[in-house]
Amino acid sequence: MNNFDNLLITLELSNAISNIKLFFTLIFAYYIFIKIVNIKEIKKINVVVSITIIFLVEFILNILNYDMYYNFIFQFITLILVDYFSFKKDIVYTMLNTIISLGISYVLFFLSVIISCVPNVLFRITNDYINLIVLIVINFAVTYFGLKIKRIKNGLIFLQEKLKNEYLNILIFNLSVIVLCLYIILSLVDSLENYRDIVAMLIVLSIVMFITIKKSLEIYYKQTLLVKELDATKIELEDKKKEVEQLEKEILDFSKESHSLAHKQKALEYKINELMKVNSERGTELKEEIGELSKELYKEQAATELSKTDIPEIDDMLKYMQAECIKNKIDFDLQISGNIFYMTNNLVTRKELEILIADHIKDAIIAINYSDNINRSILVRLGDIDGIYSLYIYDSGIEFEKEILEMLGKKPITTHSDSGGTGMGFMNTFDTLRKHNASLIIDQYNKPNKDDYTKVIMIKFDGKNEFKY
């Protein structure tokens, strides 16, 4: 008897022994499913129930003695259901991995059959049950130690990702189906009348397998290359995005600093001009001439002496803003209460307070110039207001639009760029608010009228960091 005959005898044992062999093949397939999907936590009760169900199905099929095709279908469906209810995975995902695990189980079974020929020949074993025990032991050893290989001991990664690697999964799926078909063919070899049919089917399956492997690998490598290129492009885009964001941040910081320096520059220019007027030989004469000219042409109100904070930078900025209001024919009033030194030493820096005053008085001047209101006035309240150190700026100009209020502090926004508005004032303000946990409250009273202010901007150093309007 040649080796091929021994192989066929091993594959085609008696019906009872054949069912025992199939039982263990399904058990090994169940174990392979656990390993390739890398399931770590398994309830013992699920394992016991699964093995019991597989045993009962095999027992019933042995009694009913169905055709092998029906037996195989029932066994396959049983294994899918057992895997699905044991591990609660997606049904399509479970079906694919069940087919793959069953295919691997039969591949290892064929390998075990070949290995089992060695002890059969050496010890001339003729008893079917002893042959079966040897086969099962070898099959167990091959399956157990085969899945201990370093590369696959933690499962097959591409089978653990829910069908993300579709091409490779299709390849393994096709190979598993081919293995199962080969098993059926070899199991039926004695019932086929013409061996040429077997050879023809094997040739066709070999061609299909070769084409499937070739095409699947080509598509897989193309997909892998495409994924790498997309990942590289994504990384490059992220780097460019970070560069753009960094440049935007630098531009925004530069704009804020430039905006702040512009106010400081104008205040210093005003102070220099004042000093030059005082020190000029014709200073007194020019002052009288300008006063007379103002009375004749504009009939403007003379600048009143402002209350002092005794902080030079703040007083200079307030005086400069008063001059800007006079130039724009706007009444300017100032009320100071409390200790401003305490305010600048504990709640906000001198420079920050100076810029807050400049930004919001400038905005108030612009708002008034865009209004047709006869009442043209600004009131600044600075210091201890109702028990909280604050800066209030009232004006009689146009009101804020709702869209503008919603965007304040989020990005530079202005509707009056032609009048010197940059939108950076509120950006600076919100930076200062966040730094000192101060609050910004904007109250809008009514439409422009000749008897009252239309709105007030209240900056309160209350530790609440709120924004209300």
Side-chain angles (χ1 to χ4, degrees):
M1 185 178 295
N2 57 35
N3 291 334
F4 183 70
D5 292 333
N6 286 331
L7 180 62
L8 291 179
I9 289 173
T10 305
L11 290 171
E12 288 295 326
L13 301 171
S14 66
N15 191 46
I17 294 177
S18 179
N19 278 292
I20 295 173
K21 177 193 67 178
L22 286 173
F23 168 74
F24 280 99
T25 303
L26 293 177
I27 294 298
F28 291 147
Y30 179 76
Y31 174 72
I32 291 168
F33 183 97
I34 294 171
K35 299 302 290 183
I36 64 175
V37 180
N38 196 28
I39 298 173
K40 297 295 186 182
E41 297 181 1
I42 308 170
K43 294 181 179 179
K44 292 182 180 179
I45 185 65
N46 287 347
V47 176
V48 173
V49 171
S50 299
I51 293 174
T52 303
I53 292 173
I54 293 173
F55 175 79
L56 290 175
V57 170
E58 285 295 328
F59 180 77
I60 294 170
L61 291 176
N62 185 50
I63 294 174
L64 297 176
N65 197 22
Y66 280 133
D67 183 83
M68 193 203 73
Y69 289 111
Y70 293 110
N71 285 353
F72 182 80
I73 291 172
F74 285 130
Q75 292 161 355
F76 177 61
I77 294 174
T78 300
L79 191 57
I80 289 176
L81 293 176
V82 165
D83 290 338
Y84 177 72
F85 288 108
S86 292
F87 309 116
K88 301 295 187 294
K89 303 287 185 180
D90 179 76
I91 185 64
V92 177
Y93 176 74
T94 301
M95 287 179 65
L96 174 66
N97 284 306
T98 299
I99 293 172
I100 292 173
S101 60
L102 195 57
I104 294 173
S105 179
Y106 278 116
V107 168
L108 297 178
F109 170 74
F110 290 141
L111 180 61
S112 301
V113 169
I114 295 171
I115 296 173
S116 68
C117 290
V118 176
N120 287 347
V121 172
L122 289 177
F123 300 104
R124 297 183 180 182
I125 301 172
T126 58
N127 186 286
D128 289 345
Y129 290 99
I130 296 177
N131 280 331
L132 178 63
I133 293 172
V134 172
L135 178 60
I136 291 172
V137 171
I138 293 174
N139 197 1
F140 172 79
V142 169
T143 303
Y144 181 79
F145 291 106
L147 294 175
K148 288 289 185 180
I149 296 173
K150 184 177 181 180
R151 288 182 177 272
I152 61 174
K153 68 177 182 179
N154 292 320
L156 301 177
I157 300 299
F158 58 87
L159 293 179
Q160 299 171 23
E161 297 181 349
K162 297 272 184 173
L163 308 181
K164 287 181 181 178
N165 198 335
E166 295 180 1
Y167 295 123
L168 197 55
N169 287 333
I170 290 172
L171 171 61
I172 302 298
F173 174 79
N174 279 281
L175 291 176
S176 301
V177 171
I178 290 171
V179 168
L180 297 178
C181 291
L182 285 173
Y183 169 77
I184 294 173
I185 291 170
L186 291 175
S187 299
L188 293 174
V189 68
D190 289 338
S191 65
L192 293 173
E193 296 180 359
N194 195 335
Y195 281 94
R196 287 177 299 179
D197 294 339
I198 299 175
V199 175
M201 293 181 69
L202 288 174
I203 291 172
V204 172
L205 285 173
S206 299
I207 293 172
V208 171
M209 184 170 63
F210 175 77
I211 294 173
T212 301
I213 293 172
K214 184 176 182 299
K215 293 295 182 183
S216 297
L217 286 176
E218 286 177 358
I219 296 173
Y220 171 67
Y221 287 131
K222 288 180 181 178
Q223 183 199 29
T224 302
L225 182 61
L226 180 61
V227 169
K228 287 181 179 178
E229 291 178 354
L230 288 174
D231 288 340
T233 303
K234 184 178 179 181
I235 292 172
E236 186 178 350
L237 287 174
E238 287 294 327
D239 291 340
K240 294 295 183 184
K241 184 178 178 181
K242 289 179 181 178
E243 289 179 10
V244 171
E245 289 176 351
Q246 182 62 29
L247 288 173
E248 288 179 347
K249 184 178 182 300
E250 291 176 1
I251 292 170
L252 185 61
D253 291 341
F254 178 75
S255 298
K256 290 178 181 179
E257 188 65 25
S258 299
H259 180 78
S260 300
L261 290 174
H263 288 311
K264 184 78 172 178
Q265 179 186 4
K266 290 179 180 179
L268 290 174
E269 287 176 354
Y270 176 78
K271 187 173 183 179
I272 290 171
N273 290 333
E274 288 294 301
L275 291 172
M276 288 177 67
K277 289 179 181 178
V278 172
N279 294 326
S280 171
E281 293 180 359
R282 297 187 60 212
T284 305
E285 183 180 352
L286 288 174
K287 187 175 180 181
E288 291 176 355
E289 291 179 3
I290 292 171
E292 290 296 324
L293 185 62
S294 298
K295 290 178 182 178
E296 292 178 10
L297 297 179
Y298 303 110
K299 297 181 181 179
E300 292 180 333
Q301 180 181 351
T304 58
E305 187 69 23
L306 296 178
S307 301
K308 299 292 184 180
T309 65
D310 294 325
I311 300 174
E313 298 92 334
I314 306 299
D315 289 334
D316 289 344
M317 183 58 73
L318 289 168
K319 192 173 181 181
Y320 165 67
M321 285 298 163
Q322 181 191 36
E324 288 293 301
C325 288
I326 292 173
K327 186 167 62 177
N328 286 274
K329 303 178 186 178
I330 297 172
D331 293 334
F332 182 82
D333 291 320
L334 173 65
Q335 297 177 5
I336 295 177
S337 57
N339 187 345
I340 307 304
F341 279 102
Y342 171 82
M343 187 175 182
T344 56
N345 289 333
N346 297 279
L347 303 175
V348 62
T349 66
R350 295 185 180 189
K351 181 180 178 181
E352 289 167 341
L353 182 57
E354 180 184 1
I355 298 305
L356 287 174
I357 291 170
D359 281 336
H360 294 291
I361 295 178
K362 183 69 174 178
D363 287 345
I365 292 172
I366 293 174
I368 292 172
N369 285 338
Y370 270 85
S371 171
D372 296 329
N373 193 0
I374 298 175
N375 177 18
R376 297 170 63 84
S377 56
I378 293 174
L379 168 63
V380 176
R381 298 177 65 191
L382 175 63
D384 187 350
I385 304 173
D386 298 328
I388 299 173
Y389 274 91
S390 310
L391 169 64
Y392 286 20
I393 298 177
Y394 299 78
D395 71 74
S396 59
I398 59 173
E399 300 172 294
F400 284 107
E401 296 177 1
K402 183 179 179 181
E403 294 76 11
I404 299 294
L405 289 172
E406 291 173 350
M407 295 304 298
L408 289 182
K410 297 178 181 178
K411 66 177 183 179
I413 182 169
T414 179
T415 56
H416 310 306
S417 58
D418 55 333
S419 299
T422 64
M424 295 306 303
F426 272 101
M427 295 298 293
N428 284 332
T429 296
F430 275 89
D431 286 344
T432 304
L433 295 176
R434 283 188 287 268
K435 180 179 177 182
H436 300 290
N437 285 323
S439 298
L440 173 64
I441 301 171
I442 299 177
D443 273 351
Q444 303 196 111
Y445 303 125
N446 43 52
K447 296 292 182 181
N449 64 82
K450 64 180 181 178
D451 299 319
D452 199 0
Y453 298 105
T454 56
K455 63 179 182 291
V456 57
I457 292 175
M458 295 179 279
I459 298 173
K460 297 183 177 183
F461 295 92
D462 54 4
K464 297 181 179 179
N465 192 22
E466 296 178 338
F467 174 42
K468 298 180 181 179
Y469 59 87

